[in-house]
Amino acid sequence: MKKRKLRELEVSEIGMGTMAFSHGYGKIPDRQYSLEAIRAAFDYGCTFFDTAEAYGAQLYYEGHNEEIVGEALKDVRKDAVLATKFHFQPGDYEEGTELYTTVKRHLTKSLIRLQTDYVDLYYLHRVTDKVPVEAVAEVMGRLIKEGLIRGWGLSQVSVDVLKRADQITPVSAVQNLYNILERDCEDDIFPYCIEHGIGVVPFSPIASGLLSGKITVGTEFEKVDDVRNWVPQLTKENIAGNQPILDIIQEYAGKKDATNAQISLAWMLHKYPNVVPIPGSKNKERILENLGADKVSFTDAEFTALETALAGCKIYGHRGHVEMEGKGFLNKKPLR
């Protein structure tokens, strides 16, 4: 696969989100299947794998997903770029607690679970109003100097928060929600990141599967641990409302002998040189299909026509890309 840069980190132009093997999309696969799916992605050419300490804590335990990723990639660690994230937890705010000690404690646990002695990209999963982002940036700079992490990033942040952090310790990547239906990042995140050499790592680049065309108004999601019950575009009304967009994607998929998901990924790869999407799935075939978007390309004329067609459609449902600790969309009532 072709490579891209997240500031100093070189990664495959499409990465892999591994969350679904532990959380978020209902029942998880057998562990051996998960390991084989991750290795299949690596064998295809994917070098960039995204996890988090929180993935799995909902139904299993903290670090469940990191353990799977670490086991799957331990034999090819030097050729893989590992990204993980930490959350601030209530006990981290206790008076007298030193921030460096707190963050390093989270990181040390992740290193053990990932079976490595360094993390390539370490994110703050959500900012909190209890800890200044500048203070986090200072700690990340120290961890970089110590060789425990190679770069650092922020997730679901505004450009103002990004600027404040970047001025203290240069940020490698921003992991925000971005896809054809969620474009807020185009207003300021992408311009700032392009100017400063920061990568943008979109999670949910296929809108939780909606842009694949495989979800319909009749689709029923699992009742336990399925985030799709909260996704605004996935109410029955919004699925129907966004059908014209799906029709356009399907038209281009036919022209390119590609799938809808591949068109959705190729669209953002063509649009921005610093974007590295991390589509996630618990299905090995879907994972390899997503990575196959690296074979889909547009001429400038084709891309302009696609953008024009999409611009003529109204988008139904909006989540937004800015969330804070304890105030995310999963803290609200499900939409369906």
Side-chain angles (χ1 to χ4, degrees):
M1 294 180 71
K2 294 185 287 292
K3 298 293 188 355
R4 292 194 171 194
K5 284 289 190 75
L6 308 175
R7 198 180 284 273
E8 69 289 337
L9 302 174
E10 185 177 75
V11 298
S12 54
E13 66 176 358
I14 303 173
M16 177 183 175
T18 65
M19 181 184 78
F21 295 123
S22 299
H23 159 62
Y25 290 88
K27 184 179 179 181
I28 68 168
D30 174 84
R31 191 181 186 92
Q32 186 60 36
Y33 179 92
S34 300
L35 298 175
E36 292 172 359
I38 294 171
R39 283 304 297 264
F42 178 83
D43 292 342
Y44 181 91
C46 177
T47 64
F48 185 39
F49 298 86
D50 181 89
T51 181
E53 66 176 19
Y55 297 160
Q58 295 76 9
L59 295 181
Y60 305 95
Y61 51 87
E62 182 179 278
H64 181 271
N65 197 249
E66 288 179 321
E67 288 181 352
I68 293 172
V69 173
E71 184 176 349
L73 298 173
K74 62 183 179 181
D75 295 334
V76 294
R77 173 65 185 98
K78 64 182 180 61
D79 297 315
V81 179
L82 299 183
T84 192
K85 318 173 197 68
F86 82 96
H87 276 278
F88 281 117
Q89 300 172 356
D92 296 336
Y93 309 138
E94 293 177 0
E95 185 176 352
T97 301
E98 204 231 335
L99 185 60
Y100 169 80
T101 302
T102 295
V103 177
K104 189 172 181 180
R105 174 167 43 82
H106 283 272
L107 175 59
T108 299
K109 292 180 181 179
S110 291
L111 292 174
I112 292 170
R113 293 187 290 249
L114 289 166
Q115 301 189 44
T116 184
D117 55 5
Y118 69 96
V119 164
D120 297 283
L121 180 56
Y122 198 43
Y123 291 101
L124 173 59
H125 208 153
R126 295 286 186 278
V127 295
T128 171
D129 53 12
K130 300 182 185 298
V131 181
V133 72
E134 293 89 346
V136 177
E138 289 180 1
V139 169
M140 292 295 192
R142 184 172 170 183
L143 294 173
I144 290 171
K145 288 179 181 177
E146 293 174 353
L148 293 174
I149 65 175
R150 294 177 61 203
W152 84 287
L154 293 161
S155 181
Q156 295 201 254
V157 294
S158 67
V159 73
D160 292 335
V161 170
L162 172 59
K163 287 178 180 178
R164 286 162 46 201
D166 189 46
Q167 290 169 0
I168 304 299
T169 300
V171 173
S172 302
V174 175
Q175 185 176 135
N176 274 5
L177 176 64
Y178 178 67
N179 55 56
I180 285 174
L181 301 177
E182 292 276 3
R183 299 206 195 185
D184 291 355
C185 287
E186 295 180 355
D187 295 335
D188 47 21
I189 289 290
F190 273 107
Y192 181 86
C193 288
I194 289 173
E195 180 182 356
H196 294 86
I198 300 169
V200 177
V201 179
F203 71 89
S204 197
I206 309 171
S208 298
L210 179 59
L211 296 176
S212 72
K214 294 179 171 61
I215 293 175
T216 70
V217 293
T219 300
E220 293 294 332
F221 304 122
E222 296 189 45
K223 300 303 181 184
V224 178
D225 194 36
D226 195 325
V227 299
R228 290 171 293 185
N229 291 297
W230 280 263
V231 174
Q233 289 89 10
L234 297 183
T235 65
K236 296 182 187 298
E237 295 79 10
N238 289 338
I239 291 172
N242 287 318
Q243 188 58 48
I245 293 175
L246 302 180
D247 292 341
I248 291 169
I249 295 171
Q250 178 63 54
E251 176 187 349
Y252 275 80
K255 292 177 181 178
K256 293 291 182 180
D257 191 25
T259 66
N260 289 31
Q262 289 172 341
I263 293 296
S264 302
L265 294 166
W267 166 82
M268 64 176 65
L269 289 172
H270 184 99
K271 190 164 189 174
Y272 293 110
N274 66 328
V275 71
V276 179
I278 49 168
S281 175
K282 60 183 181 182
N283 182 293
K284 182 168 68 173
E285 286 69 30
R286 294 288 79 74
I287 291 166
L288 296 177
E289 173 191 326
N290 292 336
L291 295 175
D294 74 319
K295 302 294 193 297
V296 180
S297 61
F298 299 106
T299 66
D300 289 341
E302 288 172 334
F303 184 79
T304 298
L306 174 57
E307 281 281 75
T308 300
L310 292 171
C313 299
K314 180 179 178 180
I315 295 175
Y316 291 83
H318 179 254
R319 173 179 167 184
H321 68 279
V322 177
E323 291 186 9
M324 295 186 69
E325 188 70 53
K327 301 177 182 178
F329 85 129
L330 288 177
N331 297 103
K332 304 174 183 177
K333 291 183 179 180
L335 298 172
R336 58 180 293 173

